[in-house]
Amino acid sequence: MTMSSLDITVEGIFTANTEGSFVSHSIKEVALEFGGIRGDRHFGVTFPADARQPMYPRGTEILNKRQISILAMEEVEKVAEELGIDHIRAEWLGANLLVKGIPELTKLPVLTRFLFPSGAGLINEGENKPCIHAGNEVQRNYPQNETLARAFVKKAMGRRGIVCSVERPEAIRLHDKIKIMLP
Amino acid sequence: MTMSSLDITVEGIFTANTEGSFVSHSIKEVALEFGGIRGDRHFGVTFPADARQPMYPRGTEILNKRQISILAMEEVEKVAEELGIDHIRAEWLGANLLVKGIPELTKLPVLTRFLFPSGAGLINEGENKPCIHAGNEVQRNYPQNETLARAFVKKAMGRRGIVCSVERPEAIRLHDKIKIMLP
């Protein structure tokens, strides 16, 4: 089953390539590789297990299913609205892609495919659970509200987007139209 | 959530390493690698797209989510019973692992983990849809029944096991106890 590609677009592409920083910054296009975006902090076909994979000893080399993170503009706007703040930037959440036209992106089933005009393909590896790091970054930008970090984690649950693997590594460009294929 | 490991065991390990053949043969243990079982026809972190990935041109190098196939003894026995035949061997279906103690293996959600005593981990990439090749192999072993190949495809639907990626590459040994973790 394929959802219409007419109104699903890439509104932002980002990479988090600053040592020690969670925050990503905007780029105009990216040449994907197997493993994600070279230089990004989540790049790699494999990566060291962390707190999200407690079944393996910390640091064990395991398959990387968190290569590319995607945010839905509609979901982020709703979270900002409920938090009573003007906006949340995709960069603050360390996102790699910001898309428009999938209002419930986070609820898409695992294995849903995202197909791009270049032939690139991403595959949904599941919901990106909100963490306090992203919350802290939101709060840092609204320092007057001291409870924002924890409020973000709560309000963003189920709306913080997804993580994907690169299934076919080609280019993604700003304003690309995306075709969604349900599994 | 973790299911009891008490009664879930590895009853068979197999590799399909004969050029041009779908059929696997029994081995006693395997040292997994990222990509699966070296020498097996499904080995590889990436592999060429085929009929199961019609969204990519045939032969395109894509991420391999079909590295290891697992069959449940209980499901295979039920299919054989409904087909009115004495047994179906895991080898005929090109399986890599035969397990006992998960009666509805095929219905486990995507991203379910299989953890082995060595520390090895597999992760469920979804149902393995029955194909006519496996059906033909079943029929070849019961040549008196000419409709068996197509009957297999029908009866095995939802009971032909799953395919997995190697998440952590260590050893799997015959009679290993397996721990199941739901996503």
Side-chain angles (χ1 to χ4, degrees), chain A residues 45-47 61-64, chain B residues 32-36 38 43-45 67 166-169:
Chain A
V45 171
T46 67
F47 83 123
E61 188 186 7
I62 63 170
L63 190 66
N64 185 9
Chain B
L32 293 176
E33 298 179 36
F34 286 115
R38 185 165 292 271
F43 178 77
V45 170
Q67 299 172 7
V166 172
E167 187 172 35
R168 186 189 178 194

Side-chain angles (χ1 to χ4, degrees), chain A residues 132-160:
Chain A
I132 195 68
H133 301 300
N136 287 337
E137 199 53 40
V138 174
Q139 187 172 319
R140 218 176 57 78
N141 285 276
Y142 293 95
Q144 68 282 14
N145 184 342
E146 288 173 14
T147 60
L148 206 49
R150 268 172 301 170
F152 169 83
V153 173
K154 201 175 152 196
K155 293 290 185 189
M157 196 65 76
R159 293 189 298 208
R160 199 236 180 281

Side-chain angles (χ1 to χ4, degrees), chain A residues 166-177:
Chain A
V166 172
E167 187 172 36
R168 186 187 179 196
E170 297 287 345
I172 298 178
R173 300 184 179 90
L174 212 51
H175 310 309
D176 267 358
K177 294 197 182 301

